Every structure is written in structure tokens, then in C-alpha cells.
Amino acid sequence: MFGLSELALVLLVVVVVLGVKKLPELTRSAGKATRIFKSEARALKEQESAAASDAGRVVEGTVLRGDDRPSRD
């Protein structure tokens, strides 16, 4: 991966290319994107765990056929 000196060089190039004005906007949007990604990953994980816990559940009931339906009074 990158060492500290390479990372500093890349950040310096980004500052020069994008300019000091655009850097706060860039970091703000990167932070928002990271938060959205984390929240979506968390929601997906919760959804998968909820589906896994529901898959093993047995619901007791009576199977009704066409002529066995109870009448509504």
C-alpha cells in the first residue's frame, strides 16, 4: 500500500489541483458518502439477520381446503 510520504504527496497534489476552495466541499461530500454507505451496510446486515431469524420460525395453524372454509356470520 501507500507509505506516509506517498500519501502526503497525493494529498498535496489534490490540494494544488482542486484548490483550497474546493477541498472543504470535497471532504464534506466524502464524509456524507461514508455515512450513507455505513448506514446502508448496517441496514442490510439488520435485514439479513431478521430474515435469518424468521426462517427458522414455525407458525402453527390449520390448513383449509376449498370446502372446509368456515362460514362468516
Side-chain angles (χ1 to χ4, degrees):
M1 288 307 274
F2 291 110
L4 187 58
S5 60
E6 289 89 1
L7 186 61
L9 182 62
V10 169
L11 288 176
L12 181 63
V13 170
V14 168
V15 168
V16 169
V17 170
L18 297 178
V20 177
K21 255 185 169 177
K22 294 279 185 177
L23 191 60
E25 181 182 333
L26 179 66
T27 56
R28 193 175 307 119
S29 65
K32 284 181 183 179
T34 303
R35 282 191 298 272
I36 291 170
F37 179 75
K38 284 182 179 181
S39 67
E40 291 296 325
R42 190 179 310 119
L44 182 62
K45 187 175 181 180
E46 289 173 0
Q47 185 181 15
E48 287 176 353
S49 66
S53 66
D54 287 344
R57 190 172 62 179
V58 175
V59 178
E60 294 184 23
T62 306
V63 176
L64 299 176
R65 297 195 177 117
D67 54 344
D68 293 340
R69 293 186 182 154
S71 61
R72 294 185 179 178
D73 293 327

